[in-house]
C-alpha cells in the first residue's frame, strides 16, 4: 500500500469521503497479507445516530488469510475518540475477500465524526 507515514512510522493511506477522513493503517494489513479496498462512509442513508462504514478486506495473494485477525475501526471527532468497533476474520472461514460493514451507533455521531481509523492485528 502507499500513503503517508504517521508518527510511529506506520504507513497510513488517507481517503477523504465527504466530511470524513478515513485513515487505513496499510502496514498492519500488509503484515497479515491483507489489503483494504472499496472504502465507504455514509451518514446520510442510515439512522440519524448511526455512521455506516464499510471496507472490503482482501487477501493480497487472492486466496488465504495467514492467521486469524481482528479489524479495529475507531471514529473520532477532532482528537476525541467517539466509538470503537471490532470485527474478527478467521483464517479457516476467510475466502479471499470479505466485506465488513460497521455501524457506529452513538447519539449525534453523524454530526460530530470527522475521522475514522482502521487497522488490524494478529490474534
Amino acid at each position: 500500500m502507499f500513503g503517508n507515514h504517521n508518527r510511529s512510522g506506520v504507513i497510513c493511506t488517507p481517503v477523504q469521503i465527504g466530511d470524513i477522513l478515513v485513515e487505513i493503517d496499510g502496514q498492519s494489513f500488509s503484515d497479515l497479507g491483507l489489503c483494504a479496498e472499496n472504502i465507504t462512509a455514509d451518514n446520510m442513508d442510515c439512522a440519524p445516530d448511526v455512521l455506516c462504514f464499510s471496507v472490503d478486506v482482501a487477501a493480497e495473494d487472492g486466496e488465504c488469510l495467514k492467521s486469524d485477525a481482528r479489524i479495529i475501526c475507531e471514529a473520532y471527532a477532532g482528537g476525541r475518540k467517539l466509538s470503537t468497533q471490532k470485527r474478527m476474520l478467521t483464517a479457516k472461514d476467510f475466502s479471499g475477500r470479505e466485506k465488513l460493514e460497521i455501524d457506529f451507533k452513538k447519539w449525534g455521531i453523524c454530526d460530530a465524526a470527522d475521522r475514522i481509523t482502521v487497522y488490524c492485528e494478529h490474534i
Side-chain angles (χ1 to χ4, degrees):
M1 289 194 117
F2 57 91
N4 300 322
H5 291 270
N6 66 12
R7 283 177 271 160
S8 66
V10 175
I11 297 171
C12 290
T13 304
V15 177
Q16 188 73 37
I17 302 173
D19 294 337
I20 299 173
L21 178 67
V22 178
E23 296 176 330
I24 304 289
D25 180 343
Q27 188 63 53
S28 70
F29 277 79
S30 185
D31 288 348
L32 291 169
L34 297 171
C35 61
E37 303 172 335
N38 302 322
I39 302 158
T40 63
D42 188 4
N43 59 6
M44 297 301 196
D45 296 334
C46 297
D49 295 326
V50 178
L51 175 62
C52 302
F53 174 72
S54 71
V55 60
D56 289 349
V57 177
E60 289 177 338
D61 65 8
E63 295 181 19
C64 65
L65 181 60
K66 296 176 184 177
S67 64
D68 292 350
R70 179 180 297 124
I71 310 295
I72 298 115
C73 302
E74 299 171 329
Y76 289 87
R80 184 173 54 104
K81 189 185 306 182
L82 299 174
S83 181
T84 301
Q85 296 293 320
K86 299 176 183 176
R87 295 293 185 269
M88 300 289 295
L89 294 177
T90 58
K92 71 175 192 164
D93 295 330
F94 188 72
S95 62
R97 175 179 295 274
E98 186 165 331
K99 183 176 194 78
L100 297 180
E101 294 184 353
I102 306 210
D103 291 339
F104 293 101
K105 298 177 183 177
K106 185 172 183 158
W107 183 81
I109 196 165
C110 291
D111 294 330
D114 60 7
R115 180 170 56 107
I116 296 173
T117 62
V118 184
Y119 61 96
C120 60
E121 59 188 19
H122 169 77
I123 299 176

